[in-house]
Amino acid sequence: MANVVVIGAQWGDEGKGKITDLLSRSADVVVRYQGGVNAGHTIVVDDKVLKLHLIPSGILYKNTSCLIGSGTVVDPKILLKEIDMLIDNGIDISGLKISSTSHVTMPYHRILDEAMEADRGSNKIGTTGRGIGPTYADKSQRNGIRIRDLLNKERLSDVIEIPLREKNGLLEKIYGIKPLKLEDIVEEYLDYGERLSKHVVDCTRTIHAASKNKKNILFEGAQGTLLDLDHGTYPFVTSSNPISGGACIGAGVGPTLIDRVIGVAKAYTTRVGEGPFPTELQGSINDQLCDRGSEFGTTTGRRRRCGWFDGVIGKYAVSVNGLDCLAVTKLDVLDELDEIQVCIAYDLDGEEIDYFPTNSDDLKKCKPIFKKLKGWQCSTADCRKLSDLPENAMNYLRFLAELMEVPIAIVSLGANRDQTIVIEDPIHGPKRALLR
C-alpha cells in the first residue's frame, strides 16, 4: 500500500489519463493537484471515449473519491459540462470533491489569454487560450476569485470589483475589446456556485483525514515535467508546477506523505505548441507516428509534434521528480518500424553533453546524438504479459530502463484498459526490481 504521485515525464500528453485510470482501481482517493482545463485526458472504456479536463479519471470507479485540489484552477462552466457528460453516461459523480480554495478562471481570463497570445505574433508561446496563465497571475497578485467566493453573492460582488475594473481597462485600452459587466458575471457565476456547492470541501482536511484512515491516495498531475513553470523549457511552459513536488503544494500535504512517484513517458516523444524540441522528426516517420498514435490534443485538437524518444529529458525527469518507476505508453505505435532511434546525448556547439540545458536558447542549438535499435515489425496490441512481447520490443524497453536508470512498472499497448502489461502495481505492489 502506498500514496503515489503520477507525473508526465516529457512535455505532457504521455497518456497519464489511462495510467491514472488504471491505478485508480487500487486508490481510495485521487487528487488533481495543479493545472486547469488546458489539460486533457482521454479514457477509453468499453469502446466508449470519455474526455476529461478537470475531473480525475478515477471518477469512473464508484468507490473512489476524486478531489480537485487547491493548486488547480477551475473553469466552472467547463467543469459542469464534464459533470453533465459523466451523468449522461451513467457515471456516479457523488465522489467528486472540489477544494474551496481552488482559484476560478473567469471570463476575462480567457479573453485576455487569447488577446495576449495574438498580440505576441511570431513570439507566441502556444497557449491553449483557456485563460490558465491569467488565472494563475491573478492568484499570485492576490487578486483572484476562489471557489468559495462563488457561494455568496455579496462576497463575489465584493472580490470581483477590483480585478474586473483592472481587466476591463486592459481589454478596452490595450486590445480594443468591449468591457464586461459585473452584474452579468456575478449572476452567471453564482449559478455555477450553487450547482457545485454540494461538492465543495476543505481540501487539506479531506486529504489528511483519508491519510489518517490509511487510505491509498493517488496524486495526479497535468501536463508534463518539461512544461513546469520553474524547471521546464521556459518560457514555453505552463503556469504551474506539474513535477512531483507540485503535488505537495497543490494538495496541501508534506513530502513525507508521498511514498512513490511514477513517471509516464511515451515510447517516443511529442510536444504541443511552441518551443525547442531536439528530437523532432519531419516527413513520413513524423506523419506515421502522428497518425498511428492519434497525436492530436485532447483540449485544442492541435496536431502534436512527434520525435524519437529523448533519453536526456528522460533522465532529467527522473532527477527532478525523484521517479522510482516508469509507465511506458504507446509502444504499439512503433510496431511497423524496422529501425528506431533513441537520443542518448546532445551535441551543443561541438561538445557532447548528457544533461538537460536549462537555458532554452542552448536547447534550441542542441543536436541529438542517437542510438539505433532494431524494430520488431509485428503487432504488440494483443500482448498482455512481458513474455508475449517480441524480442526486439523487450530489448527496446530494457534499453530505455537502462538509459534512464529507473525500472519500468507498466507498459501500455493501446488506448483500451485491457491493452496493458502491469509488471507491478505501484500502489499495492512491493518495491522490487522490475523491468530493467
Side-chain angles (χ1 to χ4, degrees), residues 162-326:
I162 292 176
L164 181 60
R165 184 167 65 241
E166 175 188 284
K167 301 306 185 294
N168 274 340
L170 288 172
L171 292 175
E172 277 192 290
K173 298 174 184 178
I174 304 298
Y175 300 109
I177 297 173
K178 185 178 179 181
L180 304 175
K181 294 182 180 180
L182 184 146
E183 296 80 8
D184 293 343
I185 297 175
V186 169
E187 182 179 353
E188 178 183 0
Y189 279 71
L190 278 175
D191 181 60
Y192 297 152
E194 182 178 356
R195 289 193 60 193
L196 293 173
S197 60
K198 62 183 178 182
H199 300 286
V200 177
V201 299
D202 181 322
C203 173
T204 304
R205 287 184 60 197
T206 302
I207 294 173
H208 284 276
S211 176
K212 188 175 181 180
N213 289 319
K214 308 298 182 184
K215 302 294 185 181
N216 291 324
I217 306 172
L218 184 65
F219 298 89
E220 173 190 11
Q223 289 91 34
T225 299
L226 276 296
L227 292 178
D228 188 271
L229 180 61
D230 294 299
H231 304 286
T233 50
Y234 190 91
F236 306 102
V237 294
T238 192
S239 304
S240 58
N241 295 108
I243 62 170
S244 60
C248 296
I249 298 169
V253 302
T256 54
L257 191 72
I258 308 299
D259 297 305
R260 304 190 71 180
V261 183
I262 179 171
V264 184
K266 279 178 184 166
Y268 50 102
T269 309
T270 63
R271 80 171 298 175
V272 171
E274 307 303 314
F277 185 0
T279 67
E280 184 172 11
L281 288 162
Q282 304 293 336
S284 60
I285 297 180
N286 172 75
D287 294 340
Q288 186 175 353
L289 292 178
C290 186
D291 293 341
R292 280 185 57 83
S294 299
E295 295 298 352
F296 299 91
T298 302
T299 299
T300 64
R302 288 182 293 183
R303 184 183 176 98
R304 295 174 184 140
R305 301 156 63 190
C306 296
W308 296 121
F309 189 92
D310 190 329
V312 178
I313 68 170
K315 288 187 288 185
Y316 179 70
V318 171
S319 175
V320 170
N321 294 289
L323 299 185
D324 41 14
C325 59
L326 279 174

Side-chain angles (χ1 to χ4, degrees), residues 243-408:
I243 62 170
S244 60
C248 296
I249 298 169
V253 302
T256 54
L257 191 72
I258 308 299
D259 297 305
R260 304 190 71 180
V261 183
I262 179 171
V264 184
K266 279 178 184 166
Y268 50 102
T269 309
T270 63
R271 80 171 298 175
V272 171
E274 307 303 314
F277 185 0
T279 67
E280 184 172 11
L281 288 162
Q282 304 293 336
S284 60
I285 297 180
N286 172 75
D287 294 340
Q288 186 175 353
L289 292 178
C290 186
D291 293 341
R292 280 185 57 83
S294 299
E295 295 298 352
F296 299 91
T298 302
T299 299
T300 64
R302 288 182 293 183
R303 184 183 176 98
R304 295 174 184 140
R305 301 156 63 190
C306 296
W308 296 121
F309 189 92
D310 190 329
V312 178
I313 68 170
K315 288 187 288 185
Y316 179 70
V318 171
S319 175
V320 170
N321 294 289
L323 299 185
D324 41 14
C325 59
L326 279 174
V328 176
T329 63
K330 295 196 173 184
L331 184 69
D332 58 299
V333 175
L334 305 180
D335 283 351
E336 296 179 355
L337 300 177
D338 62 343
E339 182 180 89
I340 301 167
Q341 299 192 55
V342 176
C343 175
I344 58 173
Y346 295 149
D347 179 316
L348 176 58
D349 295 330
E351 178 187 357
E352 182 175 325
I353 62 172
D354 62 357
Y355 60 85
F356 172 73
T358 55
N359 186 323
S360 285
D361 290 335
D362 286 341
L363 188 61
K364 287 179 185 177
K365 295 186 291 182
C366 284
K367 298 176 182 178
I369 298 172
F370 288 116
K371 169 75 174 179
K372 295 181 180 179
L373 291 93
K374 292 182 179 179
W376 43 94
Q377 293 185 287
C378 61
S379 176
T380 59
D382 294 327
C383 296
R384 296 296 178 266
K385 53 184 184 295
L386 287 178
S387 59
D388 293 337
L389 289 172
E391 181 180 357
N392 284 346
M394 282 293 295
N395 291 340
Y396 183 70
L397 291 172
R398 287 195 181 99
F399 183 80
L400 298 187
E402 181 180 349
L403 178 65
M404 295 177 66
E405 298 181 339
V406 68
I408 295 172

Side-chain angles (χ1 to χ4, degrees), residues 54-91:
L54 282 167
I55 299 175
S57 51
I59 198 69
L60 304 179
Y61 296 96
K62 187 174 182 180
N63 296 320
T64 301
S65 295
C66 290
L67 176 59
I68 298 175
S70 301
T72 310
V73 293
V74 177
D75 187 324
K77 185 175 183 178
I78 293 179
L79 176 57
L80 285 165
K81 285 183 178 179
E82 284 190 27
I83 289 173
D84 290 340
M85 179 272 292
L86 291 171
I87 292 172
D88 289 344
N89 280 279
I91 295 168

Side-chain angles (χ1 to χ4, degrees), residues 147-158 186 190:
I147 285 290
R148 69 180 189 182
D149 298 327
L150 307 186
L151 307 181
N152 180 280
K153 182 176 183 179
E154 184 177 345
R155 170 71 180 172
L156 181 57
S157 299
D158 183 51
V186 169
L190 278 175

